[in-house]
Amino acid sequence: MEIREKGAEFLREELRRAQKELKLKDAECERLCRVREQLERELEELTASLFEEAHRMVREANVKQAAAEKRLKEARGKIDMLQAEVTALKTLVITSTPASPNHELHPQLQSPTKAGPRKGHWRPQSSSRALGPTVRPAPGHGLAPDKEGREVDTTLFSEFRAWRAAPTLDKACPFLDRVYREDVGPCLDFTMRELSALVRGAVEDNTLTIEPVVSHMQPGTRAAAECGRTSKCALSGLTSPCRHRIRLGDSESHYYISPSSRARITAVCNFFTYIRYIQQGLVRQDVEPMFWEVMRLRKEMSLAKLGFFPQEG
């Protein structure tokens, strides 16, 4: 009996020790479970923050890319406009050659009556032009035709000379009123009247942009492949290959136009560009060469509104 009691006591002691070790292990397991849960939460939060940061960086990159593309498009549009203005200015620059001397650069080549006194300081040409144009047709009589068969219309010349004395873009002056009625208005009178009025306002405000449809697209892209397809012109409503589009002011909307509509708009823009140069004092010519340049630009508007325009290569 004594041996049995000692054996039972030993077993109970071992059982208590084992239970105590199990309790310690259970506590350790609970602690490890809590650590694991905490690590999982931190990992989830870290993953979420990384994904959020990645999405934010992607959004910022997309916004910067869109802004850069917009600036690039505006810069290319300004470059195209500046190139067009440079081309126009080249046609206005009077070069001095032995065959065709520049009388403004060489006043000694002028006649004594026109050149005025030569002693002392030379009087600028601007002051002499302010007194009157070089060509003064007699009332009721036109000038004799020149070598090109041109003859000055005294009414048109008088209106232009009066405008040249005080250049303005006010449509109420007789010169611009006539050009608006006879050339600008008919040239910009398209089938789509509402859009035509917007185009006319943008041309007058110098806020209209014309750009090639695929000038900023890579060759071989789908858009580049579709540029040669026919589509409807936004101004005339006719089905035609629209290789250019226009944008009015700061609007993001584009309107595709046919070659004929583009030629009509370009002819009017060339006229306004030239008279703006005159108003700003960039054209240093006598009145008669300016008058014939205006007549040439009016001729371009007349031909364009009748459907005659250079074919694109």
Side-chain angles (χ1 to χ4, degrees):
M1 292 297 293
E2 185 178 356
I3 294 174
R4 187 181 301 170
E5 289 178 0
K6 288 182 178 181
E9 184 64 25
F10 176 77
L11 292 175
R12 282 194 295 271
E13 185 66 25
E14 289 293 328
L15 179 61
R16 284 193 298 270
R17 189 183 300 111
Q19 289 176 347
K20 185 177 180 181
E21 292 178 356
L22 288 175
K23 289 180 180 180
L24 293 175
K25 290 182 179 180
D26 289 340
E28 183 68 16
C29 289
E30 291 178 0
R31 188 184 67 82
L32 293 176
C33 289
R34 288 193 300 271
V35 172
R36 185 185 65 182
E37 292 175 356
Q38 182 179 358
L39 291 175
E40 289 177 351
R41 285 195 301 269
E42 292 178 356
L43 180 61
E44 291 177 357
E45 292 176 357
L46 178 60
T47 303
S49 62
L50 288 176
F51 273 107
E52 183 178 355
E53 181 68 16
H55 285 301
R56 185 184 64 80
M57 294 175 64
V58 170
R59 285 195 301 269
E60 291 180 354
N62 291 336
V63 171
K64 291 181 179 179
Q65 180 181 0
E69 291 177 353
K70 182 179 179 180
R71 289 194 298 269
L72 177 61
K73 185 183 296 183
E74 292 176 353
R76 286 177 172 172
K78 290 180 180 179
I79 290 173
D80 294 340
M81 181 182 65
L82 290 175
Q83 287 177 345
E85 291 185 357
V86 169
T87 303
L89 281 174
K90 286 181 180 179
T91 63
L92 306 180
V93 175
I94 307 174
T95 58
S96 180
T97 62
S100 180
N102 185 340
H103 292 280
E104 292 189 358
L105 298 178
H106 305 281
Q108 69 275 12
L109 299 178
Q110 299 179 4
S111 62
T113 57
K114 182 177 178 181
R118 296 306 309 277
K119 295 181 180 181
H121 294 285
W122 174 64
R123 186 175 58 183
Q125 288 292 326
S126 58
S127 61
S128 63
R129 286 199 297 269
L131 300 176
T134 304
V135 181
R136 296 181 177 85
H141 298 82
L143 297 178
D146 61 4
K147 296 180 180 179
E148 299 180 9
R150 303 180 304 185
E151 184 173 349
V152 175
D153 183 283
T154 55
T155 302
L156 299 180
F157 186 79
S158 299
E159 292 176 353
F160 176 76
R161 182 174 58 182
W163 175 86
R164 177 64 186 86
T168 177
L169 297 181
D170 185 6
K171 294 183 287 186
C173 68
F175 165 65
L176 288 182
D177 178 67
R178 179 186 296 275
V179 176
Y180 267 91
R181 285 187 288 103
E182 298 180 358
D183 301 304
V184 175
C187 199
L188 296 182
D189 184 17
F190 295 97
T191 304
M192 306 303 176
R193 297 298 178 85
E194 183 177 355
L195 182 58
S196 299
L198 296 177
V199 169
R200 177 169 172 173
V203 171
E204 294 174 357
D205 297 336
N206 198 21
T207 58
L208 183 138
T209 303
I210 303 178
E211 58 185 13
V213 174
V214 294
S215 60
H216 312 322
M217 300 178 184
Q218 296 295 331
T221 61
R222 181 177 179 182
E226 292 179 352
C227 85
R229 299 182 182 178
T230 57
S231 57
K232 180 177 288 187
C233 175
L235 290 169
S236 65
L238 299 177
T239 301
S240 174
C242 298
R243 301 184 179 90
H244 291 81
R245 62 185 185 181
I246 59 175
R247 181 162 54 89
L248 309 179
D250 296 331
S251 174
E252 295 296 333
S253 301
H254 293 84
Y255 303 93
Y256 292 85
I257 57 174
S258 63
S260 175
S261 299
R262 173 179 177 262
R264 292 168 65 173
I265 296 175
T266 303
V268 177
C269 289
N270 290 339
F271 169 78
F272 277 104
T273 299
Y274 186 70
I275 65 173
R276 288 192 188 100
Y277 286 156
I278 296 177
Q279 184 192 31
Q280 297 168 5
L282 299 177
V283 184
R284 300 184 58 82
Q285 288 180 314
D286 290 333
V287 176
E288 187 178 4
M290 292 186 188
F291 172 77
W292 283 121
E293 179 63 18
V294 168
M295 293 301 104
R296 185 188 68 80
L297 295 172
R298 293 188 63 183
K299 177 182 176 182
E300 288 186 357
M301 288 190 284
S302 299
L303 292 176
K305 72 184 178 184
L306 294 176
F308 297 95
F309 58 91
Q311 297 294 329
E312 299 177 0

